[in-house]
Amino acid sequence: MKRILALAVMLPLAACGPYQLADTERQVAELGAREIADRSQADYVGCSGQDSDKDGYVTCTIKDRAAPKAEHELVCAYKSRGCKRKT
């Protein structure tokens, strides 16, 4: 009985964590980041797989081809395709 009660107390804490993106959501964010990378003549590095503040956006990274050490962060929506530079 005590175990069940302990699990019931911990359950709300698990719901407060970051939102894990579904495969389709991750693909939408990735497509947006890849489009920006192509237009900017940069290489796509990757997108985070979770939305920590649950605002509908994830952070993606692209790398400048002219200056390979220069990485830029983008904020990409995962419900509809679109990104902007992170300020």
Side-chain angles (χ1 to χ4, degrees), residues 62-76:
I62 60 174
K63 187 182 290 190
D64 193 339
R65 288 183 191 143
K69 293 185 179 181
E71 288 190 345
H72 305 282
E73 288 189 331
L74 306 172
V75 179
C76 298

Side-chain angles (χ1 to χ4, degrees), residues 5-18:
L5 186 56
L7 287 174
V9 171
M10 292 176 64
L11 201 56
L13 294 176
C16 294

Side-chain angles (χ1 to χ4, degrees), residues 41-82:
Q41 296 182 353
D43 294 318
Y44 168 77
V45 176
C47 292
S48 67
Q50 53 184 270
D51 182 1
S52 58
D53 56 4
K54 300 176 186 171
D55 65 350
Y57 295 89
V58 293
T59 301
C60 298
T61 306
I62 60 174
K63 187 182 290 190
D64 193 339
R65 288 183 191 143
K69 293 185 179 181
E71 288 190 345
H72 305 282
E73 288 189 331
L74 306 172
V75 179
C76 298
Y78 53 84
K79 296 290 183 184
S80 63
R81 196 166 61 213

